[in-house]
Amino acid sequence: MEKTYLSDAGPKVSSAVYGFYRWNDEASTVSANMERVVNLCLELGINTFDHGDSYGSYQCEELFGNVISQKSFRREDLVIFTKCGLRIPHSSQPGVRMKHYDTSSKHIIESVENSLRKLRTDYIDIFLLNHLDPISNIEETALTLMQLKKSGKVKNIGITNFSVFQHQLLASFLSTPIVTNHIELNLLNTSALDNGQIDYIKQRYMKPLASAPLADGRIAHGKDDLAIKVRNKLQKIAIKYDMEIESVAVAWLIKLGALPLIGTREEQRIRNIVKAFDIDLDHQDWYDLYATSREDVYLK
């Protein structure tokens, strides 16, 4: 798989990124599952992995660190993202009574130190804030991120699910570029094309990083009217390219300039996403899918 710069200021990453954001049930927190998925990704050329401190009931980072420590390759051959901000009640978090966001300096520093220890690494390639806490001190948050970057513990700064205005707000307090904004984007959720997120990300010379590229399996198996309508269109277009419908759905994202952020643990689904890079989706096929995905009369 080809490597690409995430932004004009960011590191090179694999064109598809594997994320652990859906590893939230007990089955996912088994070391054998982690090793299987990591091995498959490396086999397919995916060297970029996206974590969060709370993923997998606060266990994914440590499981990943254990697996990677047994591999015989250099740390610099991997690109590791992790993030903090979303806090979820769990036995390991006695002070957390309810789901909430916390991007305070204290929490950011604690999270980075814990992530470094669990991931068994001296640095994080990209550290992201998972949503913006509106009651944290934004100037203090930005200063903390800059101090972590200056220390070398964090190489780059990113964000997750920030609106355009939140993105602009944080950027105005930073003296270093934000290199990525993870957004949900797929054929069943194209809101980022309407609310300015895609445009602003590109304006900042960044590639959109699209989470849920297959809508959590809904594109292939959804029973709602929109999923069925889009799937029918995908099936017709997939014949032309001799590809699975999921590959065509991801090719639609790639044509837009986005990098798919894979979340599934299903091997075939991961392979389908990777095969999307072999498709040169026709310009009008892209619009045909986009028009089908819209529930209004846009382009019709």
Side-chain angles (χ1 to χ4, degrees):
M1 175 175 289
E2 289 187 2
K3 305 300 184 289
T4 184
Y5 282 102
L6 191 56
S7 75
D8 65 341
K12 264 193 167 181
V13 299
S14 49
S15 296
V17 176
Y18 189 86
F20 295 92
Y21 54 98
R22 297 210 187 280
W23 288 51
N24 292 317
D25 54 46
E26 288 188 14
S28 67
T29 56
V30 176
S31 181
N33 288 332
M34 177 70 71
E35 186 168 13
R36 175 180 58 82
V37 168
V38 170
N39 285 342
L40 175 60
C41 287
L42 295 173
E43 171 197 325
L44 296 172
I46 299 170
N47 76 330
T48 308
F49 297 91
D50 175 62
H51 287 275
D53 58 357
S54 63
Y55 291 173
S57 300
Y58 293 89
Q59 297 182 69
C60 270
E61 288 179 318
E62 190 164 11
L63 287 170
F64 182 85
N66 292 342
V67 168
I68 291 301
S69 67
Q70 300 168 22
K71 304 292 180 183
S72 56
F73 49 71
R74 300 175 303 170
R75 166 65 180 86
E76 54 266 35
D77 291 333
L78 292 179
V79 183
I80 299 177
F81 302 4
T82 196
K83 60 186 74 66
C84 81
L86 174 62
R87 307 206 66 180
I88 301 171
H90 187 262
S91 58
S92 66
Q93 309 291 310
V96 179
R97 303 189 308 273
M98 62 175 293
K99 178 180 174 180
H100 66 282
Y101 299 114
D102 184 354
T103 52
S104 64
S105 176
K106 179 176 182 293
H107 180 57
I108 290 171
I109 292 170
E110 289 177 352
S111 178
V112 167
E113 294 297 338
N114 285 333
S115 292
L116 290 171
R117 174 178 53 81
K118 290 180 178 181
L119 291 166
R120 299 196 186 193
T121 183
D122 296 326
Y123 65 92
I124 297 164
D125 293 283
I126 304 180
F127 181 73
L128 306 99
L129 295 185
N130 190 356
H131 291 79
L132 183 66
D133 171 16
I135 57 176
S136 286
N137 184 317
I138 188 69
E139 187 172 5
E140 183 182 89
T141 295
L143 179 61
T144 300
L145 292 172
M146 292 303 303
Q147 289 172 339
L148 287 167
K149 189 174 188 297
K150 185 177 180 180
S151 74
K153 293 179 180 180
V154 168
K155 299 296 185 184
N156 298 278
I157 295 168
I159 54 180
T160 301
N161 295 314
F162 272 46
S163 70
V164 172
F165 290 123
Q166 290 172 333
H167 191 159
Q168 291 173 327
L169 175 63
L170 179 60
S172 71
F173 284 93
L174 293 170
S175 58
T176 190
I178 293 170
V179 301
T180 185
N181 183 8
H182 294 14
I183 57 173
E184 183 169 339
L185 177 64
N186 55 64
L187 275 168
L188 301 183
N189 181 359
T190 61
S191 58
L193 282 166
D194 300 322
N195 63 22
Q197 284 179 307
I198 292 290
D199 298 327
Y200 187 68
I201 287 169
K202 290 183 176 182
Q203 182 187 336
R204 304 302 297 180
Y205 303 104
M206 297 157 47
K207 289 184 172 66
L209 216 161
S211 65
L214 297 176
D216 195 19
R218 188 171 147 227
I219 284 175
H221 304 295
K223 304 298 185 185
D224 58 285
D225 291 344
L226 180 60
I228 292 170
K229 184 170 65 170
V230 168
R231 185 161 59 248
N232 288 340
K233 178 62 70 174
L234 281 166
Q235 288 169 343
K236 292 176 182 177
I237 293 177
I239 294 171
K240 173 180 176 180
Y241 297 94
D242 191 25
M243 285 282 184
E244 298 289 336
I245 63 169
E246 291 185 329
S247 300
V248 176
V250 175
W252 184 86
L253 293 170
I254 295 169
K255 188 79 170 180
L256 188 59
L259 307 182
L261 180 58
I262 305 169
T264 181
R265 298 196 299 272
E266 295 182 26
E267 177 177 341
Q268 189 56 54
R269 189 158 284 161
I270 295 172
R271 291 186 182 277
N272 287 344
I273 291 172
V274 172
K275 286 179 182 177
F277 290 92
D278 296 329
I279 301 174
D280 182 12
L281 193 65
D282 176 80
H283 193 90
Q284 293 182 63
D285 287 341
W286 188 92
Y287 273 99
D288 197 3
L289 287 165
Y290 185 39
T292 304
S293 75
R294 300 294 300 243
E295 293 188 284
D296 56 23
V297 294
Y298 184 67
L299 285 177
K300 293 185 179 179

